[in-house]
């Protein structure tokens, strides 16, 4: 990154495998301070996402989006979403694991977007309302695992920290 006359090299977290399917999306979100490490600069991409981390990813995404707001309306919308997010942050849920469809629904609920009618992938294991939310969040992207080829979203599978980064990255880009 170039800041004035200085070049800043971000320090990447430890234990991120460059061959990990979602590596590039994780690094891009890392540069934007959207994703955070677990402990002592370890990201642990395959660790299951818990509710506290899910809300943190969303809060950080909103903070990033707010820096790009050009209007007061945009800033007010994001501030409203951040306030709603604070109310959702219940300590009793903090370590509950989040599955793929739950995280997708949280992203759709809190992160504003302008949805374009994409040519979506139809997943065999989603109902119509889940399908619509997934289309709005993932757009034309799919998971980078073996199941997307047979059109399975696996909604009840616990989402990993790396998959969550991938989902947010594709939603905001």
């Amino acid at each position: 990154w170039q800041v004035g006359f200085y070049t800043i090299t971000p320090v990447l977290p430890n234990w991120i495998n460059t061959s990990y399917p979602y590596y590039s999306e994780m690094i891009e979100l890392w540069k934007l301070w959207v994703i955070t490490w677990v402990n002592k600069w370890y990201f642990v991409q395959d660790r299951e996402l818990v509710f506290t981390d899910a809300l943190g990813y969303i809060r950080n995404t909103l903070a990033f989006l707010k820096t790009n707001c050009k209007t007061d309306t945009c800033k007010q919308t994001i501030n409203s979403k951040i306030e709603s997010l604070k109310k959702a942050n219940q300590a009793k849920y903090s370590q509950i694991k989040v599955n793929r469809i739950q995280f997708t629904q949280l992203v759709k609920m809190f992160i504003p977007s302008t949805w374009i009618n994409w040519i979506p992938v139809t997943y065999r294991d989603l109902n119509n309302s889940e399908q619509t939310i997934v289309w709005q969040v993932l757009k034309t992207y799919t998971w980078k695992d073996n199941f997307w080829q047979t059109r399975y979203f696996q909604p009840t599978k616990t989402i990993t920290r790396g998959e969550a980064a991938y989902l947010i990255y594709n939603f905001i880009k």
Side-chain angles (χ1 to χ4, degrees):
W1 296 322
Q2 192 68 34
V3 179
F5 297 108
Y6 303 100
T7 300
I8 299 173
T9 304
V11 177
L12 298 177
N14 296 319
W15 204 49
I16 290 187
N17 184 343
T18 57
S19 66
Y20 186 67
Y22 308 117
Y23 175 80
S24 61
E25 293 86 1
M26 291 182 329
I27 296 304
E28 290 304 312
L29 289 185
W30 180 260
K31 291 176 185 176
L32 301 175
W33 292 96
V34 169
I35 60 174
T36 57
W37 55 89
V38 174
N39 188 10
K40 298 181 183 179
W41 289 89
Y42 284 88
F43 179 66
V44 196
Q45 69 232 7
D46 290 321
R47 181 179 283 182
E48 294 173 322
L49 190 73
V50 294
F51 192 68
T52 299
D53 290 337
L55 295 182
Y57 282 18
I58 293 168
R59 181 188 61 247
N60 294 346
T61 301
L62 290 169
F64 164 71
L65 293 174
K66 187 176 174 183
T67 64
N68 293 319
C69 280
K70 305 279 189 253
T71 66
D72 288 340
T73 304
C74 175
K75 291 176 185 171
Q76 290 168 353
T77 299
I78 289 180
N79 285 338
S80 172
K81 296 286 185 179
I82 290 171
E83 287 305 312
S84 296
L85 189 65
K86 287 178 183 175
K87 293 175 186 171
N89 193 0
Q90 302 293 325
K92 67 181 179 177
Y93 301 121
S94 66
Q95 296 306 308
I96 291 178
K97 294 174 183 168
V98 179
N99 68 34
R100 284 178 166 185
I101 197 67
Q102 290 167 333
F103 187 69
T104 305
Q105 290 167 336
L106 285 170
V107 167
K108 177 67 179 98
M109 182 186 314
F110 288 108
I111 301 176
S113 77
T114 53
W115 184 55
I116 299 170
N117 192 11
W118 303 98
I119 300 170
V121 174
T122 302
Y123 291 98
R124 297 174 188 216
D125 54 350
L126 297 177
N127 63 42
N128 288 340
S129 64
E130 291 171 334
Q131 192 83 250
T132 301
I133 291 169
V134 169
W135 290 342
Q136 292 171 350
V137 174
L138 274 178
K139 303 170 187 167
T140 59
Y141 300 95
T142 61
W143 297 119
K144 295 180 183 181
D145 60 17
N146 294 330
F147 291 98
W148 77 267
Q149 295 169 345
T150 53
R151 295 184 294 129
Y152 285 98
F153 185 82
Q154 296 182 292
T156 58
K157 178 182 177 187
T158 304
I159 195 167
T160 66
R161 294 170 54 83
E163 290 170 336
Y166 171 77
L167 192 141
I168 285 182
Y169 177 78
N170 287 308
F171 186 60
I172 66 173
K173 78 173 201 179

